[in-house]
Short mmCIF file of all heavy atoms in Angstrom, two decimals:
data_model
loop_
_atom_site.label_atom_id
_atom_site.label_comp_id
_atom_site.label_asym_id
_atom_site.label_seq_id
_atom_site.Cartn_x
_atom_site.Cartn_y
_atom_site.Cartn_z
N PHE A 23 0.84 -1.17 0.00
CA PHE A 23 0.00 0.00 0.03
C PHE A 23 0.87 1.26 -0.03
O PHE A 23 2.03 1.22 0.40
CB PHE A 23 -0.94 0.00 1.19
CG PHE A 23 -1.81 -1.21 1.30
CD1 PHE A 23 -1.90 -1.94 2.51
CD2 PHE A 23 -2.52 -1.66 0.20
CE1 PHE A 23 -2.71 -3.06 2.56
CE2 PHE A 23 -3.33 -2.78 0.26
CZ PHE A 23 -3.41 -3.49 1.45
N ARG A 24 0.28 2.37 -0.42
CA ARG A 24 1.05 3.65 -0.49
C ARG A 24 1.62 3.93 0.90
O ARG A 24 0.91 3.91 1.90
CB ARG A 24 0.07 4.80 -0.88
CG ARG A 24 -0.47 4.64 -2.30
CD ARG A 24 -1.57 5.63 -2.52
NE ARG A 24 -2.19 5.43 -3.84
CZ ARG A 24 -2.27 6.37 -4.79
NH1 ARG A 24 -1.76 7.59 -4.58
NH2 ARG A 24 -2.86 6.12 -5.92
N GLY A 25 2.90 4.25 0.93
CA GLY A 25 3.52 4.62 2.21
C GLY A 25 3.86 3.51 3.09
O GLY A 25 4.39 3.74 4.21
N ARG A 26 3.60 2.26 2.70
CA ARG A 26 3.85 1.15 3.58
C ARG A 26 5.25 1.03 3.99
O ARG A 26 5.60 0.76 5.17
CB ARG A 26 3.46 -0.14 2.78
CG ARG A 26 3.87 -1.47 3.44
CD ARG A 26 2.99 -1.89 4.55
NE ARG A 26 3.39 -3.17 5.08
CZ ARG A 26 2.70 -3.95 5.86
NH1 ARG A 26 1.48 -3.53 6.24
NH2 ARG A 26 3.11 -5.11 6.36
N GLN A 27 6.23 1.31 3.08
CA GLN A 27 7.65 1.24 3.46
C GLN A 27 8.33 2.60 3.64
O GLN A 27 9.50 2.72 3.64
CB GLN A 27 8.42 0.45 2.35
CG GLN A 27 8.03 -1.03 2.34
CD GLN A 27 8.93 -1.85 1.43
OE1 GLN A 27 8.97 -1.61 0.20
NE2 GLN A 27 9.63 -2.79 2.00
N GLY A 28 7.46 3.59 3.76
CA GLY A 28 7.92 4.98 3.91
C GLY A 28 7.09 5.93 3.04
O GLY A 28 6.60 5.52 2.00
N PRO A 29 6.96 7.16 3.41
CA PRO A 29 6.15 8.16 2.68
C PRO A 29 6.63 8.23 1.22
O PRO A 29 7.76 8.49 0.93
CB PRO A 29 6.43 9.48 3.44
CG PRO A 29 6.79 9.07 4.85
CD PRO A 29 7.56 7.82 4.68
N ASN A 30 5.68 7.95 0.33
CA ASN A 30 5.90 8.01 -1.13
C ASN A 30 6.92 7.02 -1.61
O ASN A 30 7.50 7.10 -2.70
CB ASN A 30 6.28 9.42 -1.54
CG ASN A 30 5.18 10.41 -1.34
OD1 ASN A 30 4.07 10.17 -1.72
ND2 ASN A 30 5.51 11.53 -0.70
N GLY A 31 7.20 5.94 -0.80
CA GLY A 31 8.05 4.86 -1.23
C GLY A 31 7.29 3.97 -2.18
O GLY A 31 6.06 3.83 -2.09
N ARG A 32 8.06 3.36 -3.10
CA ARG A 32 7.41 2.49 -4.12
C ARG A 32 7.81 1.05 -3.90
O ARG A 32 9.01 0.75 -3.97
CB ARG A 32 7.85 3.01 -5.53
CG ARG A 32 7.30 4.39 -5.86
CD ARG A 32 8.00 5.03 -7.00
NE ARG A 32 7.41 6.28 -7.38
CZ ARG A 32 7.99 7.19 -8.18
NH1 ARG A 32 9.19 6.95 -8.69
NH2 ARG A 32 7.32 8.31 -8.47
N THR A 33 6.82 0.19 -3.76
CA THR A 33 7.12 -1.18 -3.39
C THR A 33 6.64 -2.14 -4.47
O THR A 33 5.46 -2.06 -4.93
CB THR A 33 6.40 -1.56 -2.07
OG1 THR A 33 6.80 -0.66 -1.06
CG2 THR A 33 6.66 -2.98 -1.67
N HIS A 34 7.48 -3.08 -4.85
CA HIS A 34 7.11 -4.20 -5.77
C HIS A 34 7.27 -5.50 -4.96
O HIS A 34 8.36 -5.86 -4.55
CB HIS A 34 8.03 -4.23 -6.95
CG HIS A 34 7.92 -3.02 -7.86
ND1 HIS A 34 6.92 -2.90 -8.84
CD2 HIS A 34 8.62 -1.90 -7.91
CE1 HIS A 34 7.05 -1.75 -9.45
NE2 HIS A 34 8.09 -1.11 -8.93
N LEU A 35 6.15 -6.19 -4.69
CA LEU A 35 6.18 -7.41 -3.98
C LEU A 35 6.61 -8.54 -4.86
O LEU A 35 6.23 -8.63 -6.02
CB LEU A 35 4.81 -7.72 -3.39
CG LEU A 35 4.17 -6.68 -2.46
CD1 LEU A 35 2.83 -7.17 -1.95
CD2 LEU A 35 5.14 -6.36 -1.31
N MET A 36 7.32 -9.53 -4.28
CA MET A 36 7.79 -10.72 -4.99
C MET A 36 8.31 -11.74 -4.04
O MET A 36 8.41 -11.46 -2.83
CB MET A 36 8.87 -10.34 -6.04
CG MET A 36 10.14 -9.78 -5.45
SD MET A 36 11.12 -8.92 -6.67
CE MET A 36 10.10 -7.44 -6.95
N SER A 37 8.66 -12.93 -4.50
CA SER A 37 9.14 -13.99 -3.69
C SER A 37 10.57 -13.73 -3.23
O SER A 37 11.30 -12.89 -3.85
CB SER A 37 9.08 -15.35 -4.39
OG SER A 37 10.07 -15.38 -5.42
N PRO A 38 11.06 -14.38 -2.20
CA PRO A 38 12.48 -14.24 -1.78
C PRO A 38 13.46 -14.48 -2.91
O PRO A 38 14.42 -13.76 -3.07
CB PRO A 38 12.60 -15.26 -0.61
CG PRO A 38 11.22 -15.34 -0.09
CD PRO A 38 10.31 -15.23 -1.22
N ALA A 39 13.25 -15.57 -3.72
CA ALA A 39 14.16 -15.85 -4.80
C ALA A 39 14.13 -14.73 -5.84
O ALA A 39 15.20 -14.32 -6.36
CB ALA A 39 13.79 -17.18 -5.43
N MET A 40 12.91 -14.21 -6.15
CA MET A 40 12.81 -13.09 -7.07
C MET A 40 13.47 -11.83 -6.55
O MET A 40 14.12 -11.04 -7.32
CB MET A 40 11.37 -12.83 -7.37
CG MET A 40 10.74 -13.86 -8.25
SD MET A 40 11.19 -13.65 -10.02
CE MET A 40 10.23 -12.15 -10.35
N ALA A 41 13.36 -11.59 -5.24
CA ALA A 41 13.99 -10.38 -4.65
C ALA A 41 15.52 -10.48 -4.73
O ALA A 41 16.23 -9.54 -5.04
CB ALA A 41 13.52 -10.21 -3.22
N ALA A 42 16.04 -11.68 -4.49
CA ALA A 42 17.48 -11.91 -4.64
C ALA A 42 17.96 -11.65 -6.05
O ALA A 42 18.99 -11.13 -6.25
CB ALA A 42 17.84 -13.29 -4.16
N ALA A 43 17.14 -12.12 -7.01
CA ALA A 43 17.50 -11.90 -8.40
C ALA A 43 17.52 -10.37 -8.74
O ALA A 43 18.39 -9.91 -9.44
CB ALA A 43 16.50 -12.61 -9.32
N ALA A 44 16.54 -9.67 -8.17
CA ALA A 44 16.48 -8.19 -8.44
C ALA A 44 17.74 -7.53 -7.82
O ALA A 44 18.25 -6.56 -8.39
CB ALA A 44 15.19 -7.64 -7.82
N ALA A 45 18.21 -8.06 -6.69
CA ALA A 45 19.37 -7.46 -6.06
C ALA A 45 20.61 -7.62 -6.98
O ALA A 45 21.45 -6.76 -7.10
CB ALA A 45 19.64 -8.12 -4.70
N LEU A 46 20.68 -8.80 -7.63
CA LEU A 46 21.88 -9.10 -8.45
C LEU A 46 21.83 -8.36 -9.79
O LEU A 46 22.88 -8.08 -10.36
CB LEU A 46 21.95 -10.58 -8.75
CG LEU A 46 22.16 -11.52 -7.55
CD1 LEU A 46 22.39 -12.96 -7.98
CD2 LEU A 46 23.21 -11.03 -6.60
N THR A 47 20.64 -8.02 -10.25
CA THR A 47 20.53 -7.31 -11.58
C THR A 47 20.20 -5.85 -11.48
O THR A 47 20.34 -5.12 -12.44
CB THR A 47 19.44 -8.04 -12.44
OG1 THR A 47 18.15 -7.88 -11.77
CG2 THR A 47 19.78 -9.50 -12.60
N GLY A 48 19.65 -5.45 -10.33
CA GLY A 48 19.20 -4.01 -10.16
C GLY A 48 17.91 -3.71 -10.82
O GLY A 48 17.50 -2.57 -10.90
N ARG A 49 17.13 -4.78 -11.19
CA ARG A 49 15.83 -4.56 -11.78
C ARG A 49 14.92 -5.73 -11.57
O ARG A 49 15.39 -6.82 -11.16
CB ARG A 49 15.94 -4.25 -13.29
CG ARG A 49 16.57 -5.37 -14.10
CD ARG A 49 16.74 -4.97 -15.59
NE ARG A 49 17.52 -3.75 -15.73
CZ ARG A 49 17.07 -2.59 -16.06
NH1 ARG A 49 15.76 -2.45 -16.32
NH2 ARG A 49 17.86 -1.54 -16.18
N LEU A 50 13.67 -5.66 -11.88
CA LEU A 50 12.76 -6.78 -11.80
C LEU A 50 13.23 -7.88 -12.78
O LEU A 50 13.42 -7.55 -13.95
CB LEU A 50 11.36 -6.40 -12.08
CG LEU A 50 10.72 -5.31 -11.17
CD1 LEU A 50 9.24 -5.18 -11.41
CD2 LEU A 50 10.99 -5.54 -9.70
N THR A 51 13.41 -9.06 -12.34
CA THR A 51 14.05 -10.07 -13.17
C THR A 51 13.35 -11.42 -12.95
O THR A 51 12.93 -11.75 -11.84
CB THR A 51 15.53 -10.24 -12.74
OG1 THR A 51 16.23 -9.03 -12.93
CG2 THR A 51 16.26 -11.33 -13.48
N ASP A 52 13.21 -12.14 -14.05
CA ASP A 52 12.66 -13.51 -13.97
C ASP A 52 13.76 -14.44 -13.49
O ASP A 52 14.67 -14.74 -14.22
CB ASP A 52 12.15 -13.93 -15.36
CG ASP A 52 11.35 -15.23 -15.31
OD1 ASP A 52 11.49 -15.99 -14.32
OD2 ASP A 52 10.62 -15.50 -16.27
N VAL A 53 13.61 -14.87 -12.23
CA VAL A 53 14.67 -15.63 -11.59
C VAL A 53 14.83 -16.99 -12.32
O VAL A 53 15.97 -17.58 -12.26
CB VAL A 53 14.36 -15.90 -10.11
CG1 VAL A 53 13.09 -16.83 -9.98
CG2 VAL A 53 15.53 -16.48 -9.35
N ARG A 54 13.88 -17.45 -13.02
CA ARG A 54 13.98 -18.73 -13.74
C ARG A 54 15.09 -18.65 -14.77
O ARG A 54 15.83 -19.68 -15.01
CB ARG A 54 12.65 -19.06 -14.42
CG ARG A 54 11.53 -19.32 -13.44
CD ARG A 54 10.23 -19.56 -14.18
NE ARG A 54 9.85 -18.40 -15.00
CZ ARG A 54 8.77 -18.38 -15.77
NH1 ARG A 54 7.98 -19.40 -15.89
NH2 ARG A 54 8.51 -17.25 -16.49
N ASP A 55 15.31 -17.54 -15.40
CA ASP A 55 16.38 -17.39 -16.41
C ASP A 55 17.73 -17.59 -15.72
O ASP A 55 18.63 -18.17 -16.31
CB ASP A 55 16.32 -16.03 -17.07
CG ASP A 55 15.04 -15.83 -17.89
OD1 ASP A 55 14.49 -16.87 -18.32
OD2 ASP A 55 14.64 -14.69 -18.11
N MET A 56 17.89 -17.06 -14.56
CA MET A 56 19.17 -17.13 -13.81
C MET A 56 19.46 -18.60 -13.39
O MET A 56 20.58 -19.07 -13.46
CB MET A 56 19.20 -16.21 -12.64
CG MET A 56 18.95 -14.74 -12.95
SD MET A 56 18.95 -13.68 -11.52
CE MET A 56 20.69 -13.77 -11.03
N LEU A 57 18.38 -19.25 -12.90
CA LEU A 57 18.52 -20.62 -12.43
C LEU A 57 18.80 -21.57 -13.59
O LEU A 57 19.55 -22.54 -13.44
CB LEU A 57 17.30 -20.98 -11.60
CG LEU A 57 17.11 -20.21 -10.33
CD1 LEU A 57 15.82 -20.67 -9.64
CD2 LEU A 57 18.29 -20.42 -9.38
N VAL A 58 18.14 -21.34 -14.72
CA VAL A 58 18.39 -22.21 -15.90
C VAL A 58 19.82 -22.05 -16.33
O VAL A 58 20.46 -23.11 -16.61
CB VAL A 58 17.40 -21.81 -17.06
CG1 VAL A 58 17.89 -22.41 -18.35
CG2 VAL A 58 16.01 -22.25 -16.74
#
């Protein structure tokens, strides 16, 4: 929800594996490509 992680912060929900993939790439990433 708006402001959930801070005023005017923008949140994209995803699984732990997907979040780790986003950390490695710096963007929303399909973790399946990395695991394949």
Side-chain angles (χ1 to χ4, degrees):
F23 303 131
R24 297 172 185 235
R26 168 82 177 192
Q27 293 190 297
N30 296 312
R32 295 163 173 167
T33 302
H34 295 276
L35 302 182
M36 63 197 71
S37 72
M40 285 284 287
L46 299 188
T47 62
R49 61 184 58 252
L50 303 188
T51 300
D52 190 340
V53 69
R54 296 175 300 178
D55 296 336
M56 302 179 71
L57 295 176
V58 166

